[in-house]
Amino acid sequence: MEVICFEDRAFYAMIDKLEAYIDSKKPKQTQGDKWVSGEEAMRMLRITSKTTLQKFRDEGKIRYSQPEKKIILYDADSIRDFIEDFTYETF
């Protein structure tokens, strides 16, 4: 078994470079990804009821756009913010 020792500064520098490399490989969010369909919004919220999705929309909890009468698109950022609002820290 071989053991490799690092100074703490070198270890954290290596971790930072690794994080930067991983972030560079992630696909960049395009303008089209900002708005998601109702099915995608329900998947992000982990709900199965269209009524619940409509309730969130009607109460102003998530942003939406209605470019045509039967087409409703949801703002993915507002869905993420809505989920983050209900995040609790453990003790």
Side-chain angles (χ1 to χ4, degrees):
M1 177 182 203
E2 187 175 333
V3 177
I4 300 173
C5 296
F6 284 103
E7 289 185 23
D8 59 342
R9 288 182 296 152
F11 175 75
Y12 290 118
M14 183 179 70
I15 295 296
D16 290 339
K17 286 183 180 182
L18 180 62
E19 286 178 345
Y21 176 77
I22 291 171
D23 288 341
S24 72
K25 295 298 180 184
K26 288 182 182 177
K28 303 294 184 214
Q29 183 177 4
T30 61
Q31 185 64 20
D33 293 335
K34 179 172 174 60
W35 298 99
V36 296
S37 67
E39 290 80 22
E40 291 175 282
M42 289 170 54
R43 183 184 50 76
M44 289 174 73
L45 291 164
R46 291 182 172 84
I47 60 174
T48 56
S49 170
K50 290 183 180 181
T51 308
T52 304
L53 185 62
Q54 181 180 353
K55 183 180 100 172
F56 290 157
R57 183 178 73 224
D58 293 343
E59 292 176 353
K61 293 182 178 178
I62 56 176
R63 291 182 59 220
Y64 71 97
S65 175
Q66 192 167 7
E68 293 182 25
K69 184 168 177 79
K70 292 192 175 189
I71 297 176
I72 299 174
L73 301 173
Y74 297 89
D75 183 5
D77 294 332
S78 73
I79 293 172
R80 288 185 200 99
D81 292 341
F82 175 73
I83 294 170
E84 285 292 320
D85 286 344
F86 294 97
T87 302
Y88 300 101
E89 295 295 326
T90 57
F91 296 101

